[in-house]
Amino acid sequence: MTARLPRITLVSTGGTISAVGRDRLDLSRYGDTNRHRELCALLDEIPELAAVAEIHPEVRPALPSHGMGLADLLDLGRLVRRLTGEPNIAGVVVTYGTNTLEETAFFMDLVCPPGKPVVVTGAMRPASGLSADGPLNLLNAVRLAASPGARGRGVLVLLDDTIHAARDATKAATNRVAAFRGGEVGPLGFVESDGTVVFHHRLERWPAQGAFDPSSLTGLPRVDVVVSYLGADGAMVEASVRAGAAGIVSAGTGAGYPTPAERAALERAAEAGVVVCQASRVAAGRVTPRPEAVPHGFVTCGNLNPWKTRLLLALALTHSRDPARIQPLFDR
Protein backbone atom coordinates (compact mmCIF):
# COMPACT_ATOMS: atom_id res chain seq x y z
CA MET A 1 0.00 0.00 0.00
CA THR A 2 1.30 3.45 -0.89
CA ALA A 3 0.77 6.37 1.46
CA ARG A 4 -2.04 8.70 0.49
CA LEU A 5 -0.82 12.01 -0.90
CA PRO A 6 -1.63 15.17 1.08
CA ARG A 7 -4.59 17.18 -0.17
CA ILE A 8 -3.59 20.73 -1.12
CA THR A 9 -6.14 23.36 -2.11
CA LEU A 10 -4.85 25.68 -4.84
CA VAL A 11 -6.45 29.12 -4.82
CA SER A 12 -5.86 30.89 -8.13
CA THR A 13 -6.29 34.69 -8.27
CA GLY A 14 -4.48 35.62 -11.49
CA GLY A 15 -1.31 37.67 -11.75
CA THR A 16 1.80 37.17 -13.85
CA ILE A 17 1.87 33.43 -13.19
CA SER A 18 -1.13 32.97 -15.51
CA ALA A 19 -0.64 36.00 -17.78
CA VAL A 20 -0.27 35.66 -21.54
CA GLY A 21 1.79 38.21 -23.46
CA ARG A 22 2.07 39.07 -27.15
CA ASP A 23 4.94 36.65 -27.72
CA ARG A 24 7.62 34.72 -25.80
CA LEU A 25 9.82 37.80 -25.39
CA ASP A 26 7.03 39.98 -23.98
CA LEU A 27 8.36 39.94 -20.41
CA SER A 28 7.30 43.40 -19.29
CA ARG A 29 4.13 44.68 -21.02
CA TYR A 30 2.15 41.43 -20.99
CA GLY A 31 -0.39 42.92 -18.58
CA ASP A 32 -1.73 45.10 -21.39
CA THR A 33 -3.16 42.06 -23.20
CA ASN A 34 -5.47 41.20 -20.27
CA ARG A 35 -5.18 37.52 -21.24
CA HIS A 36 -4.70 34.64 -18.82
CA ARG A 37 -4.31 30.89 -19.02
CA GLU A 38 -6.97 28.87 -17.25
CA LEU A 39 -5.82 27.13 -14.09
CA CYS A 40 -6.45 23.70 -15.59
CA ALA A 41 -4.10 24.57 -18.46
CA LEU A 42 -1.39 25.62 -16.01
CA LEU A 43 -1.79 22.40 -14.05
CA ASP A 44 -1.60 20.32 -17.22
CA GLU A 45 1.86 21.79 -17.83
CA ILE A 46 3.08 20.45 -14.47
CA PRO A 47 2.30 16.71 -14.43
CA GLU A 48 4.94 16.33 -11.69
CA LEU A 49 2.40 17.74 -9.22
CA ALA A 50 0.58 14.42 -9.28
CA ALA A 51 3.50 12.82 -7.42
CA VAL A 52 3.53 15.49 -4.70
CA ALA A 53 -0.06 16.14 -3.69
CA GLU A 54 -3.71 15.73 -4.52
CA ILE A 55 -4.58 19.15 -5.93
CA HIS A 56 -8.05 20.66 -5.48
CA PRO A 57 -8.45 23.93 -7.43
CA GLU A 58 -10.32 26.96 -6.10
CA VAL A 59 -10.55 29.48 -8.94
CA ARG A 60 -11.07 33.17 -8.18
CA PRO A 61 -11.53 36.01 -10.69
CA ALA A 62 -8.23 36.88 -12.35
CA LEU A 63 -7.26 40.35 -11.15
CA PRO A 64 -3.97 42.26 -11.23
CA SER A 65 -2.73 42.42 -7.67
CA HIS A 66 -2.46 46.21 -7.79
CA GLY A 67 -6.19 46.24 -8.65
CA MET A 68 -7.21 44.41 -5.47
CA GLY A 69 -9.17 46.42 -2.90
CA LEU A 70 -9.67 45.92 0.82
CA ALA A 71 -13.00 44.17 0.20
CA ASP A 72 -11.21 41.68 -2.08
CA LEU A 73 -8.54 41.21 0.57
CA LEU A 74 -11.11 40.48 3.27
CA ASP A 75 -12.90 38.04 0.99
CA LEU A 76 -9.67 36.18 0.21
CA GLY A 77 -8.68 36.13 3.88
CA ARG A 78 -12.03 34.62 4.87
CA LEU A 79 -11.69 31.96 2.17
CA VAL A 80 -8.17 30.89 3.12
CA ARG A 81 -9.00 30.85 6.83
CA ARG A 82 -12.02 28.64 6.12
CA LEU A 83 -9.97 26.29 3.96
CA THR A 84 -7.33 25.82 6.64
CA GLY A 85 -10.09 24.78 9.02
CA GLU A 86 -11.27 21.91 6.82
CA PRO A 87 -10.00 18.64 8.32
CA ASN A 88 -9.24 16.90 5.02
CA ILE A 89 -6.98 19.72 3.74
CA ALA A 90 -3.27 19.51 4.53
CA GLY A 91 -2.37 22.97 3.24
CA VAL A 92 -3.27 25.85 0.95
CA VAL A 93 -1.35 27.42 -1.93
CA VAL A 94 -2.40 30.83 -3.22
CA THR A 95 -1.20 32.12 -6.59
CA TYR A 96 -1.08 35.90 -6.64
CA GLY A 97 0.38 38.84 -8.54
CA THR A 98 3.74 39.97 -7.20
CA ASN A 99 3.06 43.74 -7.19
CA THR A 100 1.20 43.55 -3.86
CA LEU A 101 1.97 39.95 -2.90
CA GLU A 102 3.84 41.03 0.22
CA GLU A 103 0.83 42.90 1.56
CA THR A 104 -1.69 40.16 0.84
CA ALA A 105 0.52 37.42 2.27
CA PHE A 106 1.01 39.53 5.40
CA PHE A 107 -2.74 40.14 5.71
CA MET A 108 -3.43 36.41 5.50
CA ASP A 109 -0.79 35.85 8.20
CA LEU A 110 -2.81 38.16 10.44
CA VAL A 111 -6.14 36.41 9.86
CA CYS A 112 -5.12 32.73 9.57
CA PRO A 113 -4.07 30.99 12.79
CA PRO A 114 -0.68 29.31 12.42
CA GLY A 115 -1.12 25.60 11.86
CA LYS A 116 -1.70 24.17 8.43
CA PRO A 117 0.72 25.66 5.90
CA VAL A 118 -0.44 28.53 3.71
CA VAL A 119 1.98 29.32 0.88
CA VAL A 120 1.69 32.33 -1.43
CA THR A 121 3.49 32.18 -4.74
CA GLY A 122 3.55 33.95 -8.07
CA ALA A 123 5.86 34.57 -10.98
CA MET A 124 8.06 37.28 -12.40
CA ARG A 125 7.66 36.08 -16.00
CA PRO A 126 4.32 35.43 -17.69
CA ALA A 127 3.08 31.94 -18.50
CA SER A 128 3.75 32.63 -22.18
CA GLY A 129 7.29 33.93 -21.62
CA LEU A 130 10.61 32.33 -22.49
CA SER A 131 11.89 30.53 -19.36
CA ALA A 132 8.71 31.23 -17.41
CA ASP A 133 9.33 30.77 -13.68
CA GLY A 134 5.72 30.13 -12.70
CA PRO A 135 5.56 26.33 -13.20
CA LEU A 136 8.53 25.59 -10.92
CA ASN A 137 7.36 28.17 -8.38
CA LEU A 138 3.97 26.47 -8.26
CA LEU A 139 5.47 22.99 -7.94
CA ASN A 140 7.75 24.14 -5.13
CA ALA A 141 4.91 25.95 -3.38
CA VAL A 142 2.94 22.70 -3.32
CA ARG A 143 6.00 20.84 -2.06
CA LEU A 144 6.32 23.39 0.72
CA ALA A 145 2.62 23.31 1.65
CA ALA A 146 2.81 19.50 1.84
CA SER A 147 5.93 19.58 4.05
CA PRO A 148 5.53 18.77 7.77
CA GLY A 149 8.24 21.34 8.51
CA ALA A 150 5.99 24.14 7.25
CA ARG A 151 3.30 23.51 9.87
CA GLY A 152 2.93 26.17 12.54
CA ARG A 153 5.04 28.76 10.71
CA GLY A 154 2.13 30.89 9.55
CA VAL A 155 1.89 32.15 5.98
CA LEU A 156 4.96 31.61 3.83
CA VAL A 157 6.06 33.19 0.55
CA LEU A 158 7.80 30.99 -2.03
CA LEU A 159 9.45 32.24 -5.23
CA ASP A 160 12.73 31.34 -6.91
CA ASP A 161 13.21 28.25 -4.65
CA THR A 162 13.35 30.58 -1.63
CA ILE A 163 11.09 30.52 1.46
CA HIS A 164 10.28 33.77 3.25
CA ALA A 165 8.07 34.55 6.23
CA ALA A 166 5.08 36.65 5.16
CA ARG A 167 5.95 39.19 7.86
CA ASP A 168 9.35 39.90 6.35
CA ALA A 169 8.97 39.19 2.63
CA THR A 170 9.17 42.21 0.35
CA LYS A 171 9.54 42.78 -3.37
CA ALA A 172 12.95 44.35 -3.89
CA ALA A 173 13.24 44.35 -7.70
CA THR A 174 10.73 45.23 -10.40
CA ASN A 175 11.43 42.50 -12.96
CA ARG A 176 14.16 40.16 -11.72
CA VAL A 177 13.27 36.51 -11.11
CA ALA A 178 14.95 36.73 -7.67
CA ALA A 179 12.81 39.75 -6.79
CA PHE A 180 11.84 38.89 -3.22
CA ARG A 181 13.90 39.41 -0.10
CA GLY A 182 13.38 38.62 3.55
CA GLY A 183 14.73 41.89 4.96
CA GLU A 184 17.15 41.57 7.84
CA VAL A 185 15.84 38.11 8.67
CA GLY A 186 16.70 36.73 5.25
CA PRO A 187 15.16 33.57 3.85
CA LEU A 188 13.73 30.98 6.23
CA GLY A 189 14.96 28.22 3.96
CA PHE A 190 14.83 26.77 0.48
CA VAL A 191 13.18 24.12 -1.63
CA GLU A 192 16.22 22.37 -3.02
CA SER A 193 16.63 21.14 -6.60
CA ASP A 194 15.63 17.60 -5.62
CA GLY A 195 12.42 18.85 -3.97
CA THR A 196 13.70 18.67 -0.39
CA VAL A 197 12.33 21.42 1.88
CA VAL A 198 15.03 22.81 4.16
CA PHE A 199 14.45 25.38 6.93
CA HIS A 200 17.37 27.30 8.45
CA HIS A 201 15.36 29.28 11.01
CA ARG A 202 13.59 27.90 14.06
CA LEU A 203 9.84 28.24 14.32
CA GLU A 204 9.00 31.59 15.90
CA ARG A 205 5.64 33.23 16.61
CA TRP A 206 4.85 36.94 17.00
CA PRO A 207 1.85 38.57 18.74
CA ALA A 208 -0.29 39.58 15.76
CA GLN A 209 0.08 36.31 13.84
CA GLY A 210 -3.40 34.85 13.34
CA ALA A 211 -4.82 37.31 15.89
CA PHE A 212 -7.79 38.51 13.82
CA ASP A 213 -10.92 36.75 12.63
CA PRO A 214 -12.24 38.39 9.43
CA SER A 215 -15.49 36.40 9.34
CA SER A 216 -17.48 39.07 11.17
CA LEU A 217 -15.87 42.08 9.49
CA THR A 218 -17.87 43.90 6.83
CA GLY A 219 -14.99 46.24 6.02
CA LEU A 220 -11.82 47.83 7.34
CA PRO A 221 -11.38 51.36 8.65
CA ARG A 222 -9.53 53.80 6.45
CA VAL A 223 -5.81 53.99 7.14
CA ASP A 224 -3.60 56.18 4.95
CA VAL A 225 0.15 56.18 4.43
CA VAL A 226 1.88 59.57 4.33
CA VAL A 227 5.43 59.40 3.00
CA SER A 228 7.91 61.99 4.20
CA TYR A 229 10.45 63.81 2.04
CA LEU A 230 12.62 66.89 2.26
CA GLY A 231 10.47 69.97 2.91
CA ALA A 232 7.14 68.10 3.21
CA ASP A 233 4.39 70.09 4.91
CA GLY A 234 1.32 68.80 6.73
CA ALA A 235 -1.07 68.99 3.77
CA MET A 236 -1.22 65.24 3.14
CA VAL A 237 -1.82 64.53 6.83
CA GLU A 238 -4.59 67.12 6.95
CA ALA A 239 -6.14 65.72 3.76
CA SER A 240 -6.16 62.27 5.28
CA VAL A 241 -7.96 63.52 8.38
CA ARG A 242 -10.56 65.31 6.23
CA ALA A 243 -11.07 62.11 4.23
CA GLY A 244 -12.09 60.34 7.43
CA ALA A 245 -9.00 58.26 8.18
CA ALA A 246 -9.16 56.36 11.45
CA GLY A 247 -5.42 55.84 11.31
CA ILE A 248 -2.37 57.32 9.62
CA VAL A 249 0.93 55.61 8.99
CA SER A 250 3.76 58.13 8.83
CA ALA A 251 6.54 56.76 6.61
CA GLY A 252 9.19 59.03 8.04
CA THR A 253 12.80 59.58 7.11
CA GLY A 254 15.64 57.63 8.71
CA ALA A 255 14.55 55.84 11.87
CA GLY A 256 11.05 57.30 11.65
CA TYR A 257 11.37 61.09 11.52
CA PRO A 258 8.71 63.16 9.74
CA THR A 259 9.47 66.80 8.97
CA PRO A 260 8.61 69.34 11.68
CA ALA A 261 5.52 70.44 9.73
CA GLU A 262 4.36 66.85 9.30
CA ARG A 263 5.03 66.20 12.96
CA ALA A 264 2.82 69.09 14.01
CA ALA A 265 0.03 67.90 11.71
CA LEU A 266 0.32 64.34 13.02
CA GLU A 267 0.07 65.57 16.60
CA ARG A 268 -3.10 67.49 15.72
CA ALA A 269 -4.49 64.36 14.07
CA ALA A 270 -3.77 62.29 17.18
CA GLU A 271 -5.46 64.90 19.36
CA ALA A 272 -8.52 64.59 17.10
CA GLY A 273 -8.67 60.83 17.73
CA VAL A 274 -6.76 59.49 14.72
CA VAL A 275 -4.32 56.73 15.66
CA VAL A 276 -0.88 57.58 14.29
CA CYS A 277 1.69 54.87 13.69
CA GLN A 278 5.26 55.94 13.04
CA ALA A 279 7.09 53.91 10.39
CA SER A 280 10.05 54.57 8.12
CA ARG A 281 10.55 54.84 4.39
CA VAL A 282 13.93 53.10 4.86
CA ALA A 283 14.06 49.49 3.68
CA ALA A 284 15.51 47.92 6.85
CA GLY A 285 15.81 48.59 10.57
CA ARG A 286 13.45 49.28 13.46
CA VAL A 287 11.46 52.33 14.43
CA THR A 288 11.73 52.44 18.20
CA PRO A 289 9.47 54.31 20.64
CA ARG A 290 10.71 57.75 21.65
CA PRO A 291 9.71 59.36 24.97
CA GLU A 292 8.59 62.56 23.25
CA ALA A 293 6.04 60.57 21.22
CA VAL A 294 4.32 59.08 24.24
CA PRO A 295 2.23 62.15 25.21
CA HIS A 296 0.77 62.18 21.70
CA GLY A 297 -0.12 58.49 21.78
CA PHE A 298 1.88 57.49 18.73
CA VAL A 299 2.31 53.80 17.94
CA THR A 300 5.63 52.67 16.48
CA CYS A 301 5.87 49.93 13.85
CA GLY A 302 9.04 48.10 14.85
CA ASN A 303 10.58 46.75 11.66
CA LEU A 304 7.41 46.48 9.55
CA ASN A 305 7.35 48.47 6.33
CA PRO A 306 4.66 51.16 5.94
CA TRP A 307 2.43 49.05 3.66
CA LYS A 308 2.24 46.15 6.09
CA THR A 309 1.93 48.56 9.00
CA ARG A 310 -1.18 49.97 7.32
CA LEU A 311 -2.88 46.58 7.19
CA LEU A 312 -2.06 45.62 10.77
CA LEU A 313 -3.21 49.01 12.03
CA ALA A 314 -6.49 48.72 10.08
CA LEU A 315 -7.21 45.33 11.64
CA ALA A 316 -6.17 46.54 15.09
CA LEU A 317 -8.58 49.47 14.81
CA THR A 318 -11.49 47.05 14.47
CA HIS A 319 -10.81 46.10 18.11
CA SER A 320 -9.49 49.25 19.77
CA ARG A 321 -8.43 52.85 19.19
CA ASP A 322 -6.23 52.90 22.27
CA PRO A 323 -2.56 53.21 21.20
CA ALA A 324 -1.47 51.45 24.39
CA ARG A 325 -3.48 48.36 23.40
CA ILE A 326 -2.39 48.50 19.77
CA GLN A 327 1.37 48.84 20.38
CA PRO A 328 1.93 45.24 21.63
CA LEU A 329 0.71 43.93 18.27
CA PHE A 330 3.71 45.58 16.60
CA ASP A 331 6.26 44.37 19.15
CA ARG A 332 8.26 41.29 18.21
Side-chain angles (χ1 to χ4, degrees), residues 6 8 49 52-53 90-93 116-121 136-151 153-159 161-165 188-191 195-199:
I8 303 295
L49 282 169
V52 179
V92 178
V93 171
K116 293 180 182 177
V118 175
V119 181
V120 186
T121 191
L136 186 56
N137 283 345
L138 183 52
L139 175 61
N140 282 339
V142 172
R143 286 168 165 167
L144 178 59
S147 168
R151 290 187 62 88
R153 291 181 178 270
V155 176
L156 301 171
V157 172
L158 184 286
L159 286 96
D161 307 335
T162 309
I163 306 166
H164 297 290
L188 296 183
F190 300 90
V191 179
T196 303
V197 176
V198 178
F199 284 97

Side-chain angles (χ1 to χ4, degrees), residues 78-233:
R78 293 189 197 101
L79 171 64
V80 174
R81 182 182 172 107
R82 176 178 64 78
L83 290 172
T84 59
E86 294 187 8
N88 59 339
I89 291 177
V92 178
V93 171
V94 181
T95 62
Y96 198 83
T98 61
N99 285 347
T100 61
L101 186 149
E102 64 187 88
E103 293 163 78
T104 297
F106 178 70
F107 183 83
M108 285 192 282
D109 201 30
L110 298 176
V111 302
C112 295
K116 293 180 182 177
V118 175
V119 181
V120 186
T121 191
M124 295 303 298
R125 293 173 181 162
S128 58
L130 185 64
S131 298
D133 56 323
L136 186 56
N137 283 345
L138 183 52
L139 175 61
N140 282 339
V142 172
R143 286 168 165 167
L144 178 59
S147 168
R151 290 187 62 88
R153 291 181 178 270
V155 176
L156 301 171
V157 172
L158 184 286
L159 286 96
D160 195 35
D161 307 335
T162 309
I163 306 166
H164 297 290
R167 188 188 189 281
D168 303 302
T170 189
K171 189 173 183 179
T174 55
N175 294 305
R176 302 285 180 256
V177 172
F180 279 78
R181 299 287 186 272
E184 295 171 302
V185 174
L188 296 183
F190 300 90
V191 179
E192 301 291 355
S193 58
D194 64 352
T196 303
V197 176
V198 178
F199 284 97
H200 298 300
H201 285 258
R202 71 180 188 277
L203 193 152
E204 182 181 354
R205 299 279 297 274
W206 61 290
Q209 197 171 37
F212 303 94
D213 184 353
S215 59
S216 61
L217 297 178
T218 57
L220 291 173
R222 178 175 182 136
V223 176
D224 292 330
V225 178
V226 176
V227 182
S228 188
Y229 49 87
L230 192 66
D233 59 20

Side-chain angles (χ1 to χ4, degrees), residues 3-332:
R4 185 175 179 179
L5 292 175
R7 176 174 175 168
I8 303 295
T9 298
L10 175 58
V11 181
S12 170
T13 69
T16 296
I17 195 169
S18 63
V20 175
R22 297 172 181 83
D23 54 51
R24 295 214 306 160
L25 292 181
D26 182 5
L27 302 179
S28 60
R29 306 305 301 174
Y30 50 85
D32 298 342
T33 69
N34 199 29
R35 294 162 53 204
H36 289 267
R37 285 194 185 156
E38 298 292 335
L39 179 58
C40 60
L42 292 177
L43 294 177
D44 286 344
E45 295 176 3
I46 320 171
E48 295 84 358
L49 282 169
V52 179
E54 181 184 323
I55 303 296
H56 288 258
E58 179 84 32
V59 180
R60 310 283 293 172
L63 291 173
S65 66
H66 53 273
M68 296 278 282
L70 291 179
D72 302 309
L73 199 57
L74 269 174
D75 189 40
L76 183 60
R78 293 189 197 101
L79 171 64
V80 174
R81 182 182 172 107
R82 176 178 64 78
L83 290 172
T84 59
E86 294 187 8
N88 59 339
I89 291 177
V92 178
V93 171
V94 181
T95 62
Y96 198 83
T98 61
N99 285 347
T100 61
L101 186 149
E102 64 187 88
E103 293 163 78
T104 297
F106 178 70
F107 183 83
M108 285 192 282
D109 201 30
L110 298 176
V111 302
C112 295
K116 293 180 182 177
V118 175
V119 181
V120 186
T121 191
M124 295 303 298
R125 293 173 181 162
S128 58
L130 185 64
S131 298
D133 56 323
L136 186 56
N137 283 345
L138 183 52
L139 175 61
N140 282 339
V142 172
R143 286 168 165 167
L144 178 59
S147 168
R151 290 187 62 88
R153 291 181 178 270
V155 176
L156 301 171
V157 172
L158 184 286
L159 286 96
D160 195 35
D161 307 335
T162 309
I163 306 166
H164 297 290
R167 188 188 189 281
D168 303 302
T170 189
K171 189 173 183 179
T174 55
N175 294 305
R176 302 285 180 256
V177 172
F180 279 78
R181 299 287 186 272
E184 295 171 302
V185 174
L188 296 183
F190 300 90
V191 179
E192 301 291 355
S193 58
D194 64 352
T196 303
V197 176
V198 178
F199 284 97
H200 298 300
H201 285 258
R202 71 180 188 277
L203 193 152
E204 182 181 354
R205 299 279 297 274
W206 61 290
Q209 197 171 37
F212 303 94
D213 184 353
S215 59
S216 61
L217 297 178
T218 57
L220 291 173
R222 178 175 182 136
V223 176
D224 292 330
V225 178
V226 176
V227 182
S228 188
Y229 49 87
L230 192 66
D233 59 20
M236 300 304 293
V237 175
E238 293 163 357
S240 180
V241 174
R242 288 196 299 271
I248 295 175
V249 177
S250 166
T253 62
Y257 287 88
T259 66
E262 286 177 314
R263 175 77 188 190
L266 290 167
E267 290 175 359
R268 291 193 296 270
E271 290 168 1
V274 178
V275 177
V276 175
C277 188
Q278 188 60 60
S280 173
R281 67 182 193 180
V282 178
R286 294 179 63 239
V287 176
T288 57
R290 293 190 292 275
E292 68 271 17
V294 174
H296 303 290
F298 285 17
V299 177
T300 51
C301 74
N303 67 344
L304 281 180
N305 68 31
W307 335 119
K308 294 181 179 180
T309 296
R310 169 181 174 257
L311 293 174
L312 177 50
L313 181 57
L315 282 168
L317 288 169
T318 65
H319 287 260
S320 175
R321 292 202 172 194
D322 180 359
R325 293 184 61 187
I326 293 173
Q327 182 62 62
L329 293 169
F330 287 90
D331 297 335
R332 190 168 189 171

